[in-house]
Amino acid sequence: MNELDLDPYLGSTPSADAEPTPTPNSAPPPAEELLPIELLRELDVNGTLTLGKLKAMNATIQNLVAKLDAHQGRIALSPLRFDLYSGHFNAHAVVNVQGKQPRILLNQKLTGIQFQPLLHDLLQDESPVSGRGELNLDISTTGNQLNDWIQRLSGEGAIVINDGALTNVNIAHMIRQAEALLSKQPPPKDSGYQHTDFTALKGQFEFRQGRALNPNLTVEMPLARLNGQGYLDLTELYLNYEVSAHLAGTSTGQDGKSLTDVRDIPIPILVTGPIDSLSYKLDTDKLIGHQLEREKEKLKQKAEAEKEKAKAKVEKEVEEKKKELGKEAEQKLKKQFDKLLNF
């Protein structure tokens, strides 16, 4: 077999304009069983599957090679390899249907992939990110329905994207907005340019209760560095992140002047929404709170400096007084000694 298109068998998403059939009193349809368990338990195969081209969920992979070993309800694909979007996929996968509930394990390495065309095809919309990188997963789940797979998914993963961009957002403009707010200046004009280049995007994540939890997102940019944490809801494909922009040492504003008001303040940004239409918003309340904390710290440091200065002054005066008293005592002793000599 050279080519296979699974999309006609996977079904399509109903049109947004389609009118749903009103069924106010009807129960929801039962969730679909995804794996033919009995058939898989009877499968006894050992061989290699090759396929030139495969399309699924609008994404295309090529040069698929899978070594299949199925025996007594345990189906292993190891190795499982294919090419996609200028990158390479290598994995070890096991489906175990020996017990009451199917158990699925996947250990994968996805390297050299171009994220923009892949996400564009999967989402059928503009990709939220571009660049080339890798995605590694070590995950497992149980059940035989999609919702069970998502909610019971466990494991961990890591992502690295190099020389890419965040689309539909201009982080530099948001930083200038923060500077204008804190310096009580008019907001900067919006050029309409919604694009943020970065040199590297990195993060590790853990799968738990239907979410991919990411505690350590970092995005390195020429202007600033983003740090944050958040999660992706795997059922709704909804993102919820809190990130902070930290300025690079040579960052300047639109007029070329140094961005002094936000120089040492983390600039908080909220990233929320469906993955194909993310919203980036400056968290002004937290930003002002950071400014107040900075001013309090400056006042504290100033008070400490004044205290140290006053302490040093007192210590100097004490030392000078000691010297003065010492000289007076020395002179008195000398006079007493002279009297004794002349007696």
Side-chain angles (χ1 to χ4, degrees), residues 107-172:
N107 184 292
Q108 70 143 71
K109 293 185 181 296
L110 185 58
T111 58
I113 189 167
Q114 292 286 358
F115 280 88
Q116 190 276 333
L118 171 62
L119 293 176
H120 177 271
D121 285 353
L122 288 174
L123 300 172
Q124 289 293 282
D125 207 332
E126 185 176 2
S127 170
V129 66
S130 67
R132 188 166 187 162
E134 60 186 55
L135 174 65
N136 299 327
L137 298 174
D138 188 2
I139 54 177
S140 65
T141 190
T142 60
N144 199 21
Q145 297 170 359
L146 181 59
N147 185 64
D148 288 340
W149 287 358
I150 293 174
Q151 295 301 319
R152 298 173 184 175
L153 188 64
S154 64
E156 57 189 22
I159 188 170
V160 176
I161 306 177
N162 296 312
D163 300 323
L166 302 174
T167 57
N168 295 321
V169 63
N170 187 335
I171 298 295

Side-chain angles (χ1 to χ4, degrees), residues 297-315:
E297 183 62 27
K298 283 184 177 180
L299 290 174
K300 181 180 177 181
Q301 291 177 359
K302 183 178 180 181
E304 289 291 335
E306 292 293 335
K307 182 180 177 180
E308 289 298 320
K309 184 178 179 181
K311 181 181 177 182
K313 182 180 179 182
V314 170
E315 289 176 347

Side-chain angles (χ1 to χ4, degrees), residues 97-297:
V97 293
Q98 294 170 335
K100 184 177 180 180
Q101 289 282 349
R103 180 171 178 79
I104 302 169
L105 299 94
L106 174 67
N107 184 292
Q108 70 143 71
K109 293 185 181 296
L110 185 58
T111 58
I113 189 167
Q114 292 286 358
F115 280 88
Q116 190 276 333
L118 171 62
L119 293 176
H120 177 271
D121 285 353
L122 288 174
L123 300 172
Q124 289 293 282
D125 207 332
E126 185 176 2
S127 170
V129 66
S130 67
R132 188 166 187 162
E134 60 186 55
L135 174 65
N136 299 327
L137 298 174
D138 188 2
I139 54 177
S140 65
T141 190
T142 60
N144 199 21
Q145 297 170 359
L146 181 59
N147 185 64
D148 288 340
W149 287 358
I150 293 174
Q151 295 301 319
R152 298 173 184 175
L153 188 64
S154 64
E156 57 189 22
I159 188 170
V160 176
I161 306 177
N162 296 312
D163 300 323
L166 302 174
T167 57
N168 295 321
V169 63
N170 187 335
I171 298 295
H173 179 73
M174 299 186 76
I175 292 174
R176 289 193 290 268
Q177 283 181 313
E179 171 76 9
L181 176 65
L182 297 185
S183 60
K184 298 180 181 179
Q185 298 295 320
K189 293 181 180 180
D190 189 352
S191 65
Y193 181 72
Q194 299 296 308
H195 192 86
T196 300
D197 293 323
F198 61 77
T199 55
L201 181 154
K202 301 177 182 179
Q204 288 81 40
F205 42 92
E206 177 187 1
F207 295 97
R208 189 168 67 242
Q209 296 179 335
R211 291 177 173 180
L213 308 173
N214 171 212
N216 59 354
L217 175 71
T218 62
V219 184
E220 300 288 345
M221 304 178 297
L223 174 67
R225 183 186 76 255
L226 294 182
N227 294 102
Q229 60 183 6
Y231 66 84
L232 170 65
D233 186 295
L234 300 173
T235 301
E236 303 295 334
L237 292 181
Y238 186 95
L239 209 68
N240 191 333
Y241 267 75
E242 294 182 7
V243 300
S244 295
H246 303 264
L247 284 181
T250 56
S251 301
T252 57
Q254 199 168 21
D255 56 2
K257 295 180 180 179
S258 178
L259 295 168
T260 55
D261 285 281
V262 292
R263 171 67 56 204
D264 53 356
I265 289 181
I267 303 167
I269 300 171
L270 301 176
V271 187
T272 59
I275 195 171
D276 58 351
S277 57
L278 292 175
S279 169
Y280 293 81
K281 182 181 178 182
L282 196 65
D283 190 340
T284 54
D285 290 340
K286 188 173 286 188
L287 176 65
I288 293 172
H290 288 331
Q291 184 189 40
L292 292 175
E293 287 296 324
R294 181 181 67 174
E295 294 305 317
K296 286 171 60 178
E297 183 62 27

Side-chain angles (χ1 to χ4, degrees), residues 67-83:
K67 187 176 185 304
L68 174 64
D69 183 7
H71 183 63
Q72 294 183 343
R74 184 182 184 277
I75 301 93
L77 294 169
S78 181
L80 170 61
R81 300 192 302 265
F82 52 80
D83 301 329

